[in-house]
């Protein structure tokens, strides 16, 4: 038996409303969101090297596609 992975598409809807500028602990909500989104992408796309950094590609065939859609009161889809 063999497990295969087809193309995977992940879309993240990111809150960019004014409230995201508010404090959340020692940072702002938007800074925490940026850090969380970066960590999420790194975990999906890379394995850790000996130093613990996400540098080793785990998706060399680009089977994982990640998109981000910012929203506030409506969704803002950029024109490609």
């Amino acid at each position: 038996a063999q497990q295969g992975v087809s193309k995977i598409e992940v879309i993240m809807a990111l809150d960019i409303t004014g409230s995201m500028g508010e404090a959340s602990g020692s940072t702002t909500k938007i800074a925490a969101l940026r850090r969380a989104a970066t960590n999420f992408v790194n975990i999906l796309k890379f394995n850790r090297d000996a130093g613990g950094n996400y540098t080793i590609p785990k998706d060399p065939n680009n089977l994982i596609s990640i998109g981000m859609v910012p929203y506030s009161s409506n969704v803002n889809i950029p024109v490609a």
Side-chain angles (χ1 to χ4, degrees), residues 51-72:
N53 301 306
Y54 289 100
T55 61
I56 303 169
K58 79 165 70 162
D59 184 29
N61 297 321
N62 289 319
L63 297 176
I64 302 171
S65 173
I66 302 169
M68 294 178 225
V69 177
Y71 79 90
S72 52

Side-chain angles (χ1 to χ4, degrees), residues 2-13:
Q2 182 180 20
Q3 179 180 355
V5 176
S6 299
K7 284 199 150 257
I8 298 170
E9 293 184 23
V10 177
I11 302 297
M12 297 188 294

Side-chain angles (χ1 to χ4, degrees), residues 35-59:
R35 189 170 45 256
T38 299
N39 289 341
F40 180 74
V41 170
N42 283 338
I43 289 168
L44 283 180
K45 299 290 275 183
F46 299 96
N47 286 315
R48 291 183 188 219
D49 60 19
N53 301 306
Y54 289 100
T55 61
I56 303 169
K58 79 165 70 162
D59 184 29

